[in-house]
Amino acid sequence: MNINDIHLIKGEPNAMFHHPTFTLIEVNNLVYDIITRIKKDESIESIATELKLKPADIETLLTNISKSIPNHLNQREENLSYKKERSIDRITLHVANGCNLRCKYCYADGGNYNQSESMMSLDIASKFIDFCKTHFDKIKTIVFFGGEPLLNPEIIRFICESFDHLHKEKRINHIPEWGIITNGTLLNDDILNLIKQHIKFITVSIDGNQKLNDFNRRFVNGKGSYSKISEFIKKIKNETDVHLMYEATYTAFHRQNNWSESDVKSFLMDEFNIKGTITPDINFQEQLVVQDNQKQTFPAGFFGILKSMAYKIYKEMCPVGNNIIAISTDGEIYPCHMNYGKKHLSLGNITGDNIFNAQDKYLAKFPYLKRILKIDKPCIDCWANPVCGGCAMRWFYNKGTDTYNLFPDNLLCETNKKYIEDILLLIVRLKQDKTKWAELLERRNGYGDYDSFR
């Protein structure tokens, strides 16, 4: 056991976090004091003298701590270097640079990202297919995006059918899972048939009940979109086997109407029987908490860290430009769909030089592409590395310079580490009541079996 791999957290009770193995243990004040001193390179003999203990007692304590820590280290599943194998997890494909809604909080300026409105052409779609054949043996997921992608269903069908044809001819070995992120306001027989034939999952945007949704999510004429979205959800659920999820945006208007994030989740489950994610409006900077239905309040991010600890899985930064890319209607490649239209962040074009056929050129231009994988200092040596992650834009993107930094924001890091400490202490406290702890894990079975963390 390397004592420097232990991170101590002062609280009631105190906690010891051995981050290489995700081991979290409650420790009393004496143990906390002894480990703190050892980490400061004080000798066992001097510690024993000052605390009026026998050196053998401290040696026994260290042995017992060592026994409580697994012998094996937890390794990340993916390759910890810039991605070189011919596969990619996700391509977000913008087939429509425009939208039929004008949501108040839209970061994409009405779906066109401050660009001229356009639809992906048949020519670019064909070149996209060639790009995929050339650079990848396997694409796990392709998500049709916009704007509103269902404004361009013909191109979606063409791309899906082209991959099917190539697979039947054995010119490709793998067909991606097709998904759509949609506002859920467009549905006719042709679109429904397209979905039935090709689409595996759909994420639909809806913010809660009709009042909450229609305050922000409106058509160009100002009419609310809730009734159309409701029809879409019910028809997809009743007539297809597509995995349907929601993405809700939590705004100040929700808070003003005394709706918590948990209230939104409960409503959408009761009304439509669907699960999903809730994202705070980027203009709503107030620190949010998730209100659990069982009268227990959990900090935002609690269940993500709980899952990471339970399964001993590293939380990663979103691997933009590595395992995830976005492609525009004109074939430009961006690290993230939120960077759409920012030409200075372009990773090339599917028709010319790009990050996949001129990798050295783009890694030299954008060294952050390696840093975001958390495999370089200061992240690699940070005790919080295994349970820290999320949106790369949040951590690395500098709005002032409109580009990605080489390192995550230092102030944000320090704040987040304190936040993670609070969550780990909460987990320690919750585990003290075995009955309530078991109930909590059962209620959160959407994350899977947590028996290994009981």
Side-chain angles (χ1 to χ4, degrees), residues 285-317:
Q285 298 297 329
E286 180 181 355
Q287 180 66 55
L288 302 174
V289 294
V290 179
Q291 301 292 328
D292 187 84
N293 291 334
Q294 303 297 325
K295 297 182 181 180
Q296 171 68 54
T297 301
F298 299 103
F302 171 82
F303 289 102
I305 291 177
L306 178 64
K307 178 182 178 181
S308 183
M309 295 290 294
Y311 289 114
K312 302 184 185 301
I313 297 173
Y314 276 82
K315 281 174 62 67
E316 302 291 348
M317 291 292 171

Side-chain angles (χ1 to χ4, degrees), residues 405-420:
N405 292 328
L406 282 179
F407 299 103
D409 179 85
N410 184 62
L411 179 59
L412 185 58
C413 278
E414 293 305 313
T415 302
N416 191 58
K417 282 189 278 190
K418 179 63 174 68
Y419 194 67
I420 290 173

